[in-house]
Amino acid sequence: MLVVTTEKIEGYKIVEVKGPAFGLIVRSRGLGGDIMAGLKGLVGGEIKQYTAMLEDSRKEAMDRMINNAHQMNANAIIMMRFDSGEIGQNMSEIVAYGTAVVVEKL
């Protein structure tokens, strides 16, 4: 599956637009992570546990978006983006989204 952040894919033409594809994941940080983040917040610096959690979440959201596009019989996703937000005090949501299309090589 080709996934790009652009409107077009160099060397390909879009022959059909299938529609929006997305993948969503919600993760909880957990009590231990909140305590460590609070302590790290006092002295500053990167909170590596959160960084790892968010990297994994982005990968999972992308995988889900690609699966969604496969279900629509698309072979590419254009205009791919990430969005994120907080739910409550200890949950993060990440969504990967784009337009599922069928492309042919020129």
Side-chain angles (χ1 to χ4, degrees):
M1 173 83 55
L2 294 169
V3 179
V4 298
T5 58
T6 56
E7 240 179 278
K8 298 178 181 175
I9 303 172
E10 190 69 33
Y12 291 83
K13 73 175 183 174
I14 296 170
V15 295
E16 185 178 358
V17 176
K18 294 292 191 170
F22 68 93
L24 174 68
I25 186 163
V26 176
R27 291 252 170 104
S28 173
R29 292 189 298 257
L31 183 59
D34 282 343
I35 292 170
M36 292 300 292
L39 294 173
K40 192 69 165 181
L42 294 174
V43 296
E46 180 182 9
I47 303 167
K48 294 184 190 286
Q49 296 89 343
Y50 284 172
T51 300
M53 180 191 74
L54 290 173
E55 284 178 355
D56 289 344
S57 296
R58 285 171 68 112
K59 288 177 190 170
E60 181 66 28
M62 242 183 117
D63 288 345
R64 290 178 183 190
M65 175 191 63
I66 289 168
N67 287 336
N68 184 228
H70 275 299
Q71 290 173 358
M72 292 187 274
N73 296 316
N75 64 355
I77 298 170
I78 58 171
M79 299 297 292
M80 184 273 192
R81 302 285 186 265
F82 284 109
D83 197 4
S84 63
E86 297 292 318
I87 300 174
Q89 292 191 12
N90 69 340
M91 290 183 282
S92 296
E93 68 154 342
I94 296 191
V95 63
Y97 62 95
T99 303
V101 296
V102 175
V103 295
E104 290 179 354
K105 200 161 183 75
L106 292 176

